[in-house]
Amino acid sequence: MKTTQNIDVTVDAIVFGYNKEIGVTVLLIKRKNDPFKGQWALPGGFVEPTESLELAVARELKEETGVKINYLEQLYTFGQPDRDPRKRIISVAYFGIVKSSQFKKLKAADDAEDAEWFKIKHLPALAFDHQKILKMAIDRLRSKMIYQPIGFELLDKKFPFSDLEHLYSTLLGRPIDRRNFRKKVMGLGILEELDEKAPSLGAGRPGNLFQFNKATYNQLVKEGMHFEI
Amino acid sequence: MKTTQNIDVTVDAIVFGYNKEIGVTVLLIKRKNDPFKGQWALPGGFVEPTESLELAVARELKEETGVKINYLEQLYTFGQPDRDPRKRIISVAYFGIVKSSQFKKLKAADDAEDAEWFKIKHLPALAFDHQKILKMAIDRLRSKMIYQPIGFELLDKKFPFSDLEHLYSTLLGRPIDRRNFRKKVMGLGILEELDEKAPSLGAGRPGNLFQFNKATYNQLVKEGMHFEI
C-alpha cells in the first residue's frame, strides 16, 4: 500500500451547446485563482472525498456556471504527470451536448469569475491541457455522429428539414451534400414528414415540417449504425 | 487547493487473449496481499508519482504477469467511493486483445502470487469491482467489432475462412450465420482469396486460404464501418 503517491483527482466538463443561429458553442469559465488566474478553462474541480465522479462533475458545473446537467458521458482520463503546475493532478473528463437556448442565464460563482458560451471556431487560449481535452471531445462528438443518430434533444419538436442539415453541417464543421444527406437520413427511418408547412422565411417554397420517430430513433441509438456523409 | 482529498490512483489491465483452440481468455493474477488475498483479479496497481498512466499499466502488467504490451487502449475510469475497502481508490482501466499463443509463458511476481489465462466463460470470483470492469471491457470489445475490422493481429498471416468465422463467433459468444457472414466480409474488401489450399483436416474439401489486404483493412480501421452479423 503506497502512501506517498500524492496525486489529486479532478473532473472537467465539456458542455457543447447547439443553437441554430449561433452554431456550436462550448461552455467555459474564467479562472478566479492561480494557476492560470484570469484565463478561460473548462468548468471542473476537485472530487470531494465521498462523492462519485458523476456527482462531482455535475456539482462543479453547477457551482461554476449555474448550468444543471446530470447526463454527461465519460470522455477520457488525462494523467500526464506535468499537466498541472501545482502538483500531479489526474482529470476525468465528461462531455455532453445541450440546446444552448435552454441555458441562457449563466451564473459564475465559486472558482469562476465569469462563465460564457464560446463558439468552438473562435476560442480563447485555454488553461492547462484543456485545449487538448476539448479537441478530443470534438473528435469524439464527430465520430459518435457516424454510429448514433443525433438531434432529438437539439432540434425543436417539429422542424424544417434544413434545420437537420444545418445541425449536421455545423457539428461536422463543413458543408454537406444536401441531396445525398436527405436520401441517407430518410433511409434511416427515424424521420416522419408531417402534413404541415414550415413558416416561409424567404423567397423559396416552404417545405413540410418533420419530426423524429422516437421509437426508431432510440432503436438506432441502441443498435448503432454507420452514417457517413 | 484541497489537500485533504486523499484519493489514490491505480491502473488495471484487461488483456484478452484469443486462440483458435481455446477461444477467448483474459489474463488474471492471484493476489498475494490483502485485501482479497488469494483471490483472482485484473493485473494492475498504483501509479508511480512521475510515470504516465500508459507507462503505469504496461509496467504493472509486466511486473505481475511477465506479459509485455504497450498498446492498450483506455477503457473507462472507475471511481465509486466504496470500490476499495482500504481507502478511496480511483482506477483507470485499459484493455486490449492479443494472440494468446504469443504469451504462453506467464511469470507471476511482485503483488501477484500466480498469473493465468482464464476462459471468459469460466471465470473465478474476482476481487473488488473487477467483474464489472471486465464486463464493460467485453461489451466494448463486442461493440468495437461492429465499427472496426478485427483479426489482423489475431489470426495467422494466411488462414482458412473458417478461422475468421470462428474468431467472430467466439468473440461475440454466439453462433453466426455462416453464409451471410461470408457475403458481408467479402463485401468489405479487406480479404484476399489466395490460390493456395488450406491443409485438409477432415472429410471436407479443403478451401482456399485467405489473407488480409493491409491497406484496405487499415483504411476501414480509420474510417469506421457498420458490420452487423
Side-chain angles (χ1 to χ4, degrees):
Chain A
M1 184 70 195
K2 296 201 175 55
T3 51
T4 55
Q5 199 184 41
N6 198 23
I7 298 175
D8 276 351
V9 179
T10 58
V11 282
D12 285 310
I14 303 100
V15 180
F16 293 113
Y18 174 72
N19 177 301
K20 207 172 24 168
E21 280 74 38
I22 300 165
V24 189
T25 51
V26 63
L27 185 54
L28 299 177
I29 59 113
K30 188 183 262 183
R31 289 179 57 82
K32 196 188 271 175
N33 305 307
D34 271 325
F36 298 101
K37 185 178 168 176
Q39 218 168 309
W40 292 94
L42 296 168
F46 292 91
V47 175
E48 292 288 346
T50 59
E51 72 186 345
S52 69
L53 302 175
E54 291 74 22
L55 281 177
V57 72
R59 176 185 53 72
E60 285 287 346
L61 184 62
K62 187 163 177 297
E63 281 175 9
E64 294 189 345
T65 70
V67 167
K68 208 176 157 186
I69 310 179
N70 40 26
Y71 46 87
L72 295 170
E73 187 177 327
Q74 199 183 99
L75 171 70
Y76 200 78
T77 295
F78 296 82
Q80 279 306 111
D82 58 356
R83 57 178 297 283
D84 194 298
R86 290 168 289 189
K87 63 176 292 192
R88 184 150 187 201
I89 294 180
I90 284 179
S91 188
V92 188
Y94 284 79
F95 83 113
I97 178 165
V98 297
K99 213 165 162 168
S100 51
S101 55
Q102 289 173 332
F103 300 99
K104 270 182 190 159
K105 285 184 197 161
L106 300 177
K107 194 172 159 282
D110 198 55
D111 296 331
E113 191 188 303
D114 198 359
E116 223 176 273
W117 292 103
F118 281 83
K119 291 191 191 183
I120 59 169
K121 283 189 171 178
H122 298 98
L123 291 171
L126 298 182
F128 307 106
D129 55 355
H130 288 189
Q131 182 155 3
K132 183 178 151 192
I133 298 178
L134 181 54
K135 189 186 174 309
M136 192 187 279
I138 294 171
D139 288 348
R140 181 76 68 92
L141 182 67
R142 287 182 180 158
S143 74
K144 230 176 118 84
M145 290 168 66
I146 294 173
Y147 60 87
Q148 278 194 346
I150 202 164
F152 196 82
E153 298 87 358
L154 302 175
L155 298 179
D156 296 332
K157 199 172 161 1
K158 299 173 182 180
F159 51 86
F161 194 84
S162 58
D163 277 12
L164 191 65
E165 275 171 13
H166 186 262
L167 171 68
Y168 269 80
S169 164
T170 308
L171 289 180
L172 291 171
R174 58 173 169 84
I176 54 174
D177 175 340
R178 294 178 58 190
R179 189 186 302 201
N180 196 19
F181 177 75
R182 182 163 186 138
K183 206 173 114 191
K184 284 199 175 179
V185 170
M186 294 316 291
L188 292 175
I190 56 172
L191 269 193
E192 287 165 1
E193 188 164 1
L194 302 172
D195 194 17
E196 202 176 321
K197 295 283 173 201
S200 177
L201 293 172
R205 195 164 52 90
N208 285 341
L209 288 173
F210 289 78
Q211 70 182 15
F212 286 112
N213 178 314
K214 201 175 175 181
T216 52
Y217 184 98
N218 286 340
Q219 201 183 337
L220 219 52
V221 168
K222 211 178 133 205
E223 287 176 1
M225 59 176 195
H226 186 71
F227 189 74
E228 196 95 54
I229 56 164
Chain B
M1 183 72 195
K2 294 201 176 54
T3 51
T4 56
Q5 198 184 41
N6 198 22
I7 298 175
D8 275 352
V9 179
T10 58
V11 282
D12 285 309
I14 303 100
V15 180
F16 293 113
Y18 173 72
N19 177 300
K20 204 169 32 166
E21 281 75 37
I22 301 166
V24 188
T25 51
V26 63
L27 185 54
L28 299 177
I29 60 112
K30 188 184 261 182
R31 290 179 57 81
K32 197 188 269 176
N33 305 308
D34 271 326
F36 299 101
K37 185 179 168 176
Q39 216 167 309
W40 292 93
L42 296 168
F46 292 91
V47 176
E48 293 287 346
T50 59
E51 71 186 346
S52 69
L53 301 175
E54 292 72 24
L55 281 177
V57 73
R59 176 186 52 74
E60 285 287 347
L61 184 63
K62 186 163 179 297
E63 281 175 10
E64 294 190 344
T65 70
V67 166
K68 207 176 156 184
I69 310 179
N70 40 26
Y71 47 87
L72 295 170
E73 187 177 327
Q74 198 183 99
L75 172 70
Y76 200 79
T77 296
F78 295 83
Q80 279 307 110
D82 57 355
R83 55 179 297 283
D84 194 298
R86 291 167 289 189
K87 64 176 291 192
R88 184 152 186 198
I89 295 180
I90 285 179
S91 187
V92 188
Y94 284 79
F95 82 113
I97 179 165
V98 298
K99 213 166 163 171
S100 50
S101 56
Q102 289 174 331
F103 300 100
K104 270 181 189 159
K105 283 184 198 162
L106 300 177
K107 194 171 159 282
D110 199 52
D111 296 330
E113 191 187 303
D114 198 359
E116 223 175 274
W117 292 102
F118 282 83
K119 292 191 191 183
I120 58 168
K121 282 187 171 178
H122 298 98
L123 291 171
L126 297 183
F128 307 106
D129 55 355
H130 288 189
Q131 182 155 1
K132 183 178 150 192
I133 298 179
L134 180 54
K135 188 187 176 307
M136 191 188 279
I138 293 171
D139 288 348
R140 181 76 68 92
L141 182 66
R142 287 182 179 158
S143 73
K144 230 177 118 81
M145 290 169 66
I146 295 174
Y147 59 88
Q148 277 195 344
I150 202 164
F152 195 83
E153 298 86 359
L154 302 175
L155 299 179
D156 296 332
K157 198 172 161 2
K158 298 173 183 181
F159 50 87
F161 194 84
S162 57
D163 277 12
L164 190 65
E165 275 171 14
H166 187 263
L167 171 68
Y168 270 80
S169 164
T170 309
L171 290 180
L172 291 171
R174 58 174 170 82
I176 54 173
D177 175 341
R178 293 178 58 191
R179 187 185 305 200
N180 196 20
F181 177 74
R182 183 163 184 138
K183 206 173 113 191
K184 285 199 175 181
V185 170
M186 295 316 290
L188 292 175
I190 57 173
L191 270 193
E192 287 164 1
E193 189 164 1
L194 302 172
D195 195 17
E196 202 175 322
K197 296 283 175 201
S200 177
L201 294 172
R205 196 164 50 90
N208 284 342
L209 288 174
F210 288 78
Q211 70 182 16
F212 286 111
N213 178 315
K214 201 174 174 181
T216 52
Y217 184 97
N218 286 341
Q219 201 183 337
L220 220 50
V221 168
K222 212 178 133 206
E223 287 176 1
M225 59 177 195
H226 186 72
F227 188 75
E228 197 94 53
I229 58 163

